[in-house]
Amino acid sequence: MTIRSGPLARRLGLGDAVVIGLGSMIGAGIFAAFAPAAAAAGAGLLIGLAIAAVVAYCNASSSAQLAAQYPTSGGTYVYGRERLGEWAGFLAGWAFVIGKTASCAAMALTFAAYAAPAGWEKPVAVAAILALAAVNYFGVSRTAGLTRIIVVFVLAVLALVVIAGLTATGTPHTDLGLGMFDHGWYGILQAAGLLFFAFAGYARIATMGEEVKDPARTIPRAILGALALALVVYILVAVTLLLVLGPERLAASSAPLADVVAATDWTWAAPVVRIGAAAAALGALLALIAGIGRTSLAMARNRDLPAWLSAVHPVHTVPHHAEIALALVVSVLVLTVDLRGAIGFSSFGVLLYYFVANVAAFTQDRQHRRYPKPVQVLGALGCIVLVATLPLVSIGVGICVLVVGVVGRLLVLRRRRTRA
């Protein structure tokens, strides 16, 4: 059977790219990361958010600089191969694909937790995965169009939560500044590592670089624009959560945004917030499927994943084999494992991914440089520090997954040499 693996079509403009990045970040972060960050740092999560934002900016600028020079599918997997060698690229790509596959399962289960009747969570999660994989299958324009609708709705819901919280009478927790360092710097840095999960969506823009119009100009603007917009939203929501719920109640909450409106005079809005949470999880899942599909395509083109995954649909020009395989794997994960607690593991993979991006950007010549080298040094050091402060279980699982990937690639390379 002949596998068609031609180029993807450039159909995404600046607005589409920003929306895809926002859809990835808003869905993953707002509804998943603040509670564990509060458990780690209490009110100090605000400092952790600032640290995560600085590291994210360094990583985003490195990704933008690299994407302008290498406007193709695959993101840091491609950048690592081009600038640092095959092994660096493989480690970045492997960490991204495995970590984000777990994130897909987590987002599908998060959607089902808000949208499904009791006992039907897993079947509804699988249905969501298959439906969104079908949307991606029929072209990136449809992916961007649905993401735009979801993002607008989710931002409207978040605005409702912020207004409800900030206009509530008698807000109980107004002394947050006094308790920001109660958990120490280790707790703050651990919160930063967990909250970094919320910023990881801008990578989706770079991984889809082969489908962006005028990529050298559009991708850098889209990455930094999406990051800035997401940061403003995160700050408003974080302050609202802490003022209304306080650090302890936030840390124990499984649905903190719904708890905010329930604690005010806006109790009627609780169902709307739950629908918004479900929509945000869908938006994140939609963008994840698109991003993982493109990275898998790039790895398969270089035979770091099975060549079958490199197929591009002759009509819709999408990596349809990669997306079908991803949908099946994530469906199996959803039916067999509860991965809603995969934030730490996903952060481990994403931080390694961006460490490679920063080092790769550091090696670029003056012609392709947009940002000074100290920015990439700060980004790389920030990634190392945040990885070191993640929960030990997340670090252990991440290292095991990397070892499996390295051993697998060594065996494949050895077999190829034997055949040659």
Side-chain angles (χ1 to χ4, degrees), residues 42-44 46 171-182 239 242-248:
L46 292 175
T171 302
H173 302 279
T174 56
D175 57 347
L176 299 176
L178 300 177
M180 283 195 178
F181 295 96
D182 288 352
V239 170
L242 288 170
L243 286 175
V244 176
L245 301 181
E248 292 184 3

mmCIF file with all atom_site columns, all heavy atoms in Angstrom, residues 42-44 46 171-182 239 242-248:
data_model
loop_
_atom_site.group_PDB
_atom_site.id
_atom_site.type_symbol
_atom_site.label_atom_id
_atom_site.label_alt_id
_atom_site.label_comp_id
_atom_site.label_asym_id
_atom_site.label_entity_id
_atom_site.label_seq_id
_atom_site.pdbx_PDB_ins_code
_atom_site.Cartn_x
_atom_site.Cartn_y
_atom_site.Cartn_z
_atom_site.occupancy
_atom_site.B_iso_or_equiv
_atom_site.pdbx_formal_charge
_atom_site.auth_seq_id
_atom_site.auth_comp_id
_atom_site.auth_asym_id
_atom_site.auth_atom_id
_atom_site.pdbx_PDB_model_num
ATOM 1   N N   . GLY A 1 42  ? -0.757  27.499 48.530 1.00 0.00 ? 42  GLY A N   1
ATOM 2   C CA  . GLY A 1 42  ? -1.723  28.396 49.130 1.00 0.00 ? 42  GLY A CA  1
ATOM 3   C C   . GLY A 1 42  ? -1.862  29.664 48.295 1.00 0.00 ? 42  GLY A C   1
ATOM 4   O O   . GLY A 1 42  ? -1.877  29.619 47.058 1.00 0.00 ? 42  GLY A O   1
ATOM 5   N N   . ALA A 1 43  ? -1.930  30.825 48.959 1.00 0.00 ? 43  ALA A N   1
ATOM 6   C CA  . ALA A 1 43  ? -2.032  32.094 48.239 1.00 0.00 ? 43  ALA A CA  1
ATOM 7   C C   . ALA A 1 43  ? -0.785  32.377 47.415 1.00 0.00 ? 43  ALA A C   1
ATOM 8   O O   . ALA A 1 43  ? -0.815  33.184 46.479 1.00 0.00 ? 43  ALA A O   1
ATOM 9   C CB  . ALA A 1 43  ? -2.275  33.230 49.229 1.00 0.00 ? 43  ALA A CB  1
ATOM 10  N N   . GLY A 1 44  ? 0.324   31.702 47.730 1.00 0.00 ? 44  GLY A N   1
ATOM 11  C CA  . GLY A 1 44  ? 1.553   31.855 46.968 1.00 0.00 ? 44  GLY A CA  1
ATOM 12  C C   . GLY A 1 44  ? 1.438   31.386 45.532 1.00 0.00 ? 44  GLY A C   1
ATOM 13  O O   . GLY A 1 44  ? 2.373   31.585 44.744 1.00 0.00 ? 44  GLY A O   1
ATOM 14  N N   . LEU A 1 46  ? -0.150  32.777 43.378 1.00 0.00 ? 46  LEU A N   1
ATOM 15  C CA  . LEU A 1 46  ? -0.055  33.971 42.537 1.00 0.00 ? 46  LEU A CA  1
ATOM 16  C C   . LEU A 1 46  ? 1.391   34.247 42.138 1.00 0.00 ? 46  LEU A C   1
ATOM 17  O O   . LEU A 1 46  ? 1.678   34.632 40.998 1.00 0.00 ? 46  LEU A O   1
ATOM 18  C CB  . LEU A 1 46  ? -0.636  35.180 43.274 1.00 0.00 ? 46  LEU A CB  1
ATOM 19  C CG  . LEU A 1 46  ? -2.149  35.154 43.519 1.00 0.00 ? 46  LEU A CG  1
ATOM 20  C CD1 . LEU A 1 46  ? -2.562  36.355 44.354 1.00 0.00 ? 46  LEU A CD1 1
ATOM 21  C CD2 . LEU A 1 46  ? -2.901  35.130 42.195 1.00 0.00 ? 46  LEU A CD2 1
ATOM 22  N N   . THR A 1 171 ? -16.632 39.871 50.503 1.00 0.00 ? 171 THR A N   1
ATOM 23  C CA  . THR A 1 171 ? -15.650 38.863 50.086 1.00 0.00 ? 171 THR A CA  1
ATOM 24  C C   . THR A 1 171 ? -14.792 38.456 51.289 1.00 0.00 ? 171 THR A C   1
ATOM 25  O O   . THR A 1 171 ? -14.155 39.300 51.917 1.00 0.00 ? 171 THR A O   1
ATOM 26  C CB  . THR A 1 171 ? -14.748 39.424 48.978 1.00 0.00 ? 171 THR A CB  1
ATOM 27  O OG1 . THR A 1 171 ? -15.571 39.819 47.877 1.00 0.00 ? 171 THR A OG1 1
ATOM 28  C CG2 . THR A 1 171 ? -13.775 38.373 48.492 1.00 0.00 ? 171 THR A CG2 1
ATOM 29  N N   . PRO A 1 172 ? -14.766 37.167 51.642 1.00 0.00 ? 172 PRO A N   1
ATOM 30  C CA  . PRO A 1 172 ? -14.182 36.748 52.924 1.00 0.00 ? 172 PRO A CA  1
ATOM 31  C C   . PRO A 1 172 ? -12.660 36.749 52.991 1.00 0.00 ? 172 PRO A C   1
ATOM 32  O O   . PRO A 1 172 ? -12.104 36.749 54.073 1.00 0.00 ? 172 PRO A O   1
ATOM 33  C CB  . PRO A 1 172 ? -14.728 35.327 53.103 1.00 0.00 ? 172 PRO A CB  1
ATOM 34  C CG  . PRO A 1 172 ? -15.000 34.844 51.715 1.00 0.00 ? 172 PRO A CG  1
ATOM 35  C CD  . PRO A 1 172 ? -15.406 36.052 50.937 1.00 0.00 ? 172 PRO A CD  1
ATOM 36  N N   . HIS A 1 173 ? -11.966 36.712 51.869 1.00 0.00 ? 173 HIS A N   1
ATOM 37  C CA  . HIS A 1 173 ? -10.505 36.518 51.918 1.00 0.00 ? 173 HIS A CA  1
ATOM 38  C C   . HIS A 1 173 ? -9.809  37.693 51.236 1.00 0.00 ? 173 HIS A C   1
ATOM 39  O O   . HIS A 1 173 ? -9.488  37.647 50.048 1.00 0.00 ? 173 HIS A O   1
ATOM 40  C CB  . HIS A 1 173 ? -10.137 35.204 51.229 1.00 0.00 ? 173 HIS A CB  1
ATOM 41  C CG  . HIS A 1 173 ? -10.810 34.009 51.829 1.00 0.00 ? 173 HIS A CG  1
ATOM 42  N ND1 . HIS A 1 173 ? -10.347 33.387 52.956 1.00 0.00 ? 173 HIS A ND1 1
ATOM 43  C CD2 . HIS A 1 173 ? -11.933 33.346 51.457 1.00 0.00 ? 173 HIS A CD2 1
ATOM 44  C CE1 . HIS A 1 173 ? -11.147 32.375 53.267 1.00 0.00 ? 173 HIS A CE1 1
ATOM 45  N NE2 . HIS A 1 173 ? -12.107 32.331 52.374 1.00 0.00 ? 173 HIS A NE2 1
ATOM 46  N N   . THR A 1 174 ? -9.563  38.734 52.005 1.00 0.00 ? 174 THR A N   1
ATOM 47  C CA  . THR A 1 174 ? -8.937  39.939 51.445 1.00 0.00 ? 174 THR A CA  1
ATOM 48  C C   . THR A 1 174 ? -7.512  40.139 51.947 1.00 0.00 ? 174 THR A C   1
ATOM 49  O O   . THR A 1 174 ? -6.879  41.135 51.616 1.00 0.00 ? 174 THR A O   1
ATOM 50  C CB  . THR A 1 174 ? -9.769  41.180 51.797 1.00 0.00 ? 174 THR A CB  1
ATOM 51  O OG1 . THR A 1 174 ? -9.914  41.244 53.222 1.00 0.00 ? 174 THR A OG1 1
ATOM 52  C CG2 . THR A 1 174 ? -11.138 41.126 51.141 1.00 0.00 ? 174 THR A CG2 1
ATOM 53  N N   . ASP A 1 175 ? -7.004  39.217 52.734 1.00 0.00 ? 175 ASP A N   1
ATOM 54  C CA  . ASP A 1 175 ? -5.658  39.356 53.315 1.00 0.00 ? 175 ASP A CA  1
ATOM 55  C C   . ASP A 1 175 ? -4.673  38.372 52.689 1.00 0.00 ? 175 ASP A C   1
ATOM 56  O O   . ASP A 1 175 ? -3.817  37.807 53.362 1.00 0.00 ? 175 ASP A O   1
ATOM 57  C CB  . ASP A 1 175 ? -5.702  39.153 54.822 1.00 0.00 ? 175 ASP A CB  1
ATOM 58  C CG  . ASP A 1 175 ? -6.304  37.809 55.205 1.00 0.00 ? 175 ASP A CG  1
ATOM 59  O OD1 . ASP A 1 175 ? -6.895  37.158 54.314 1.00 0.00 ? 175 ASP A OD1 1
ATOM 60  O OD2 . ASP A 1 175 ? -6.190  37.412 56.378 1.00 0.00 ? 175 ASP A OD2 1
ATOM 61  N N   . LEU A 1 176 ? -4.800  38.151 51.376 1.00 0.00 ? 176 LEU A N   1
ATOM 62  C CA  . LEU A 1 176 ? -3.999  37.130 50.707 1.00 0.00 ? 176 LEU A CA  1
ATOM 63  C C   . LEU A 1 176 ? -2.511  37.437 50.765 1.00 0.00 ? 176 LEU A C   1
ATOM 64  O O   . LEU A 1 176 ? -1.683  36.529 50.832 1.00 0.00 ? 176 LEU A O   1
ATOM 65  C CB  . LEU A 1 176 ? -4.449  36.993 49.245 1.00 0.00 ? 176 LEU A CB  1
ATOM 66  C CG  . LEU A 1 176 ? -5.906  36.558 49.043 1.00 0.00 ? 176 LEU A CG  1
ATOM 67  C CD1 . LEU A 1 176 ? -6.243  36.558 47.559 1.00 0.00 ? 176 LEU A CD1 1
ATOM 68  C CD2 . LEU A 1 176 ? -6.146  35.183 49.638 1.00 0.00 ? 176 LEU A CD2 1
ATOM 69  N N   . GLY A 1 177 ? -2.156  38.707 50.733 1.00 0.00 ? 177 GLY A N   1
ATOM 70  C CA  . GLY A 1 177 ? -0.743  39.066 50.736 1.00 0.00 ? 177 GLY A CA  1
ATOM 71  C C   . GLY A 1 177 ? -0.001  38.608 51.966 1.00 0.00 ? 177 GLY A C   1
ATOM 72  O O   . GLY A 1 177 ? 1.210   38.344 51.916 1.00 0.00 ? 177 GLY A O   1
ATOM 73  N N   . LEU A 1 178 ? -0.706  38.452 53.069 1.00 0.00 ? 178 LEU A N   1
ATOM 74  C CA  . LEU A 1 178 ? -0.052  38.041 54.306 1.00 0.00 ? 178 LEU A CA  1
ATOM 75  C C   . LEU A 1 178 ? 0.348   36.573 54.299 1.00 0.00 ? 178 LEU A C   1
ATOM 76  O O   . LEU A 1 178 ? 1.232   36.170 55.047 1.00 0.00 ? 178 LEU A O   1
ATOM 77  C CB  . LEU A 1 178 ? -0.994  38.311 55.502 1.00 0.00 ? 178 LEU A CB  1
ATOM 78  C CG  . LEU A 1 178 ? -1.404  39.775 55.707 1.00 0.00 ? 178 LEU A CG  1
ATOM 79  C CD1 . LEU A 1 178 ? -2.391  39.881 56.858 1.00 0.00 ? 178 LEU A CD1 1
ATOM 80  C CD2 . LEU A 1 178 ? -0.174  40.644 55.961 1.00 0.00 ? 178 LEU A CD2 1
ATOM 81  N N   . GLY A 1 179 ? -0.319  35.764 53.470 1.00 0.00 ? 179 GLY A N   1
ATOM 82  C CA  . GLY A 1 179 ? -0.052  34.325 53.505 1.00 0.00 ? 179 GLY A CA  1
ATOM 83  C C   . GLY A 1 179 ? 0.635   33.768 52.286 1.00 0.00 ? 179 GLY A C   1
ATOM 84  O O   . GLY A 1 179 ? 0.677   32.548 52.105 1.00 0.00 ? 179 GLY A O   1
ATOM 85  N N   . MET A 1 180 ? 1.204   34.630 51.453 1.00 0.00 ? 180 MET A N   1
ATOM 86  C CA  . MET A 1 180 ? 1.780   34.154 50.195 1.00 0.00 ? 180 MET A CA  1
ATOM 87  C C   . MET A 1 180 ? 3.001   33.267 50.387 1.00 0.00 ? 180 MET A C   1
ATOM 88  O O   . MET A 1 180 ? 3.306   32.439 49.530 1.00 0.00 ? 180 MET A O   1
ATOM 89  C CB  . MET A 1 180 ? 2.132   35.341 49.304 1.00 0.00 ? 180 MET A CB  1
ATOM 90  C CG  . MET A 1 180 ? 0.937   35.964 48.614 1.00 0.00 ? 180 MET A CG  1
ATOM 91  S SD  . MET A 1 180 ? 1.425   37.043 47.258 1.00 0.00 ? 180 MET A SD  1
ATOM 92  C CE  . MET A 1 180 ? -0.189  37.539 46.642 1.00 0.00 ? 180 MET A CE  1
ATOM 93  N N   . PHE A 1 181 ? 3.706   33.416 51.495 1.00 0.00 ? 181 PHE A N   1
ATOM 94  C CA  . PHE A 1 181 ? 4.938   32.645 51.699 1.00 0.00 ? 181 PHE A CA  1
ATOM 95  C C   . PHE A 1 181 ? 4.777   31.584 52.792 1.00 0.00 ? 181 PHE A C   1
ATOM 96  O O   . PHE A 1 181 ? 5.772   31.040 53.271 1.00 0.00 ? 181 PHE A O   1
ATOM 97  C CB  . PHE A 1 181 ? 6.088   33.589 52.042 1.00 0.00 ? 181 PHE A CB  1
ATOM 98  C CG  . PHE A 1 181 ? 6.453   34.525 50.922 1.00 0.00 ? 181 PHE A CG  1
ATOM 99  C CD1 . PHE A 1 181 ? 5.931   35.811 50.890 1.00 0.00 ? 181 PHE A CD1 1
ATOM 100 C CD2 . PHE A 1 181 ? 7.277   34.119 49.887 1.00 0.00 ? 181 PHE A CD2 1
ATOM 101 C CE1 . PHE A 1 181 ? 6.245   36.686 49.857 1.00 0.00 ? 181 PHE A CE1 1
ATOM 102 C CE2 . PHE A 1 181 ? 7.601   34.984 48.851 1.00 0.00 ? 181 PHE A CE2 1
ATOM 103 C CZ  . PHE A 1 181 ? 7.080   36.270 48.827 1.00 0.00 ? 181 PHE A CZ  1
ATOM 104 N N   . ASP A 1 182 ? 3.530   31.273 53.172 1.00 0.00 ? 182 ASP A N   1
ATOM 105 C CA  . ASP A 1 182 ? 3.295   30.289 54.232 1.00 0.00 ? 182 ASP A CA  1
ATOM 106 C C   . ASP A 1 182 ? 3.814   28.906 53.862 1.00 0.00 ? 182 ASP A C   1
ATOM 107 O O   . ASP A 1 182 ? 4.205   28.128 54.734 1.00 0.00 ? 182 ASP A O   1
ATOM 108 C CB  . ASP A 1 182 ? 1.800   30.211 54.564 1.00 0.00 ? 182 ASP A CB  1
ATOM 109 C CG  . ASP A 1 182 ? 1.315   31.436 55.321 1.00 0.00 ? 182 ASP A CG  1
ATOM 110 O OD1 . ASP A 1 182 ? 2.173   32.255 55.708 1.00 0.00 ? 182 ASP A OD1 1
ATOM 111 O OD2 . ASP A 1 182 ? 0.091   31.581 55.511 1.00 0.00 ? 182 ASP A OD2 1
ATOM 112 N N   . VAL A 1 239 ? -7.120  35.506 41.037 1.00 0.00 ? 239 VAL A N   1
ATOM 113 C CA  . VAL A 1 239 ? -7.447  36.453 42.103 1.00 0.00 ? 239 VAL A CA  1
ATOM 114 C C   . VAL A 1 239 ? -8.885  36.246 42.576 1.00 0.00 ? 239 VAL A C   1
ATOM 115 O O   . VAL A 1 239 ? -9.172  36.255 43.781 1.00 0.00 ? 239 VAL A O   1
ATOM 116 C CB  . VAL A 1 239 ? -7.236  37.900 41.619 1.00 0.00 ? 239 VAL A CB  1
ATOM 117 C CG1 . VAL A 1 239 ? -7.792  38.900 42.624 1.00 0.00 ? 239 VAL A CG1 1
ATOM 118 C CG2 . VAL A 1 239 ? -5.748  38.163 41.386 1.00 0.00 ? 239 VAL A CG2 1
ATOM 119 N N   . LEU A 1 242 ? -9.153  33.034 44.778 1.00 0.00 ? 242 LEU A N   1
ATOM 120 C CA  . LEU A 1 242 ? -8.559  33.192 46.107 1.00 0.00 ? 242 LEU A CA  1
ATOM 121 C C   . LEU A 1 242 ? -9.381  34.132 46.981 1.00 0.00 ? 242 LEU A C   1
ATOM 122 O O   . LEU A 1 242 ? -9.539  33.897 48.185 1.00 0.00 ? 242 LEU A O   1
ATOM 123 C CB  . LEU A 1 242 ? -7.128  33.706 45.980 1.00 0.00 ? 242 LEU A CB  1
ATOM 124 C CG  . LEU A 1 242 ? -6.112  32.683 45.449 1.00 0.00 ? 242 LEU A CG  1
ATOM 125 C CD1 . LEU A 1 242 ? -4.792  33.354 45.118 1.00 0.00 ? 242 LEU A CD1 1
ATOM 126 C CD2 . LEU A 1 242 ? -5.892  31.565 46.456 1.00 0.00 ? 242 LEU A CD2 1
ATOM 127 N N   . LEU A 1 243 ? -9.924  35.199 46.411 1.00 0.00 ? 243 LEU A N   1
ATOM 128 C CA  . LEU A 1 243 ? -10.720 36.134 47.196 1.00 0.00 ? 243 LEU A CA  1
ATOM 129 C C   . LEU A 1 243 ? -12.009 35.503 47.700 1.00 0.00 ? 243 LEU A C   1
ATOM 130 O O   . LEU A 1 243 ? -12.425 35.724 48.838 1.00 0.00 ? 243 LEU A O   1
ATOM 131 C CB  . LEU A 1 243 ? -11.047 37.377 46.361 1.00 0.00 ? 243 LEU A CB  1
ATOM 132 C CG  . LEU A 1 243 ? -9.909  38.368 46.113 1.00 0.00 ? 243 LEU A CG  1
ATOM 133 C CD1 . LEU A 1 243 ? -10.365 39.467 45.166 1.00 0.00 ? 243 LEU A CD1 1
ATOM 134 C CD2 . LEU A 1 243 ? -9.409  38.963 47.419 1.00 0.00 ? 243 LEU A CD2 1
ATOM 135 N N   . VAL A 1 244 ? -12.655 34.708 46.849 1.00 0.00 ? 244 VAL A N   1
ATOM 136 C CA  . VAL A 1 244 ? -13.961 34.152 47.206 1.00 0.00 ? 244 VAL A CA  1
ATOM 137 C C   . VAL A 1 244 ? -13.839 32.857 48.009 1.00 0.00 ? 244 VAL A C   1
ATOM 138 O O   . VAL A 1 244 ? -14.511 32.668 49.025 1.00 0.00 ? 244 VAL A O   1
ATOM 139 C CB  . VAL A 1 244 ? -14.813 33.909 45.938 1.00 0.00 ? 244 VAL A CB  1
ATOM 140 C CG1 . VAL A 1 244 ? -16.147 33.240 46.293 1.00 0.00 ? 244 VAL A CG1 1
ATOM 141 C CG2 . VAL A 1 244 ? -15.065 35.226 45.215 1.00 0.00 ? 244 VAL A CG2 1
ATOM 142 N N   . LEU A 1 245 ? -12.969 31.956 47.576 1.00 0.00 ? 245 LEU A N   1
ATOM 143 C CA  . LEU A 1 245 ? -12.863 30.645 48.217 1.00 0.00 ? 245 LEU A CA  1
ATOM 144 C C   . LEU A 1 245 ? -11.782 30.590 49.284 1.00 0.00 ? 245 LEU A C   1
ATOM 145 O O   . LEU A 1 245 ? -11.908 29.836 50.262 1.00 0.00 ? 245 LEU A O   1
ATOM 146 C CB  . LEU A 1 245 ? -12.588 29.561 47.164 1.00 0.00 ? 245 LEU A CB  1
ATOM 147 C CG  . LEU A 1 245 ? -13.624 29.401 46.049 1.00 0.00 ? 245 LEU A CG  1
ATOM 148 C CD1 . LEU A 1 245 ? -13.205 28.275 45.103 1.00 0.00 ? 245 LEU A CD1 1
ATOM 149 C CD2 . LEU A 1 245 ? -15.011 29.112 46.617 1.00 0.00 ? 245 LEU A CD2 1
ATOM 150 N N   . GLY A 1 246 ? -10.707 31.338 49.099 1.00 0.00 ? 246 GLY A N   1
ATOM 151 C CA  . GLY A 1 246 ? -9.566  31.215 49.985 1.00 0.00 ? 246 GLY A CA  1
ATOM 152 C C   . GLY A 1 246 ? -8.698  30.035 49.589 1.00 0.00 ? 246 GLY A C   1
ATOM 153 O O   . GLY A 1 246 ? -9.149  29.108 48.905 1.00 0.00 ? 246 GLY A O   1
ATOM 154 N N   . PRO A 1 247 ? -7.430  30.039 49.991 1.00 0.00 ? 247 PRO A N   1
ATOM 155 C CA  . PRO A 1 247 ? -6.494  28.986 49.563 1.00 0.00 ? 247 PRO A CA  1
ATOM 156 C C   . PRO A 1 247 ? -6.918  27.576 49.966 1.00 0.00 ? 247 PRO A C   1
ATOM 157 O O   . PRO A 1 247 ? -6.818  26.647 49.165 1.00 0.00 ? 247 PRO A O   1
ATOM 158 C CB  . PRO A 1 247 ? -5.183  29.383 50.242 1.00 0.00 ? 247 PRO A CB  1
ATOM 159 C CG  . PRO A 1 247 ? -5.313  30.845 50.507 1.00 0.00 ? 247 PRO A CG  1
ATOM 160 C CD  . PRO A 1 247 ? -6.759  31.081 50.779 1.00 0.00 ? 247 PRO A CD  1
ATOM 161 N N   . GLU A 1 248 ? -7.398  27.373 51.185 1.00 0.00 ? 248 GLU A N   1
ATOM 162 C CA  . GLU A 1 248 ? -7.706  26.020 51.663 1.00 0.00 ? 248 GLU A CA  1
ATOM 163 C C   . GLU A 1 248 ? -8.902  25.425 50.926 1.00 0.00 ? 248 GLU A C   1
ATOM 164 O O   . GLU A 1 248 ? -8.870  24.269 50.501 1.00 0.00 ? 248 GLU A O   1
ATOM 165 C CB  . GLU A 1 248 ? -7.965  26.045 53.164 1.00 0.00 ? 248 GLU A CB  1
ATOM 166 C CG  . GLU A 1 248 ? -6.720  26.371 53.986 1.00 0.00 ? 248 GLU A CG  1
ATOM 167 C CD  . GLU A 1 248 ? -6.991  26.291 55.478 1.00 0.00 ? 248 GLU A CD  1
ATOM 168 O OE1 . GLU A 1 248 ? -8.126  25.922 55.868 1.00 0.00 ? 248 GLU A OE1 1
ATOM 169 O OE2 . GLU A 1 248 ? -6.079  26.615 56.263 1.00 0.00 ? 248 GLU A OE2 1
#
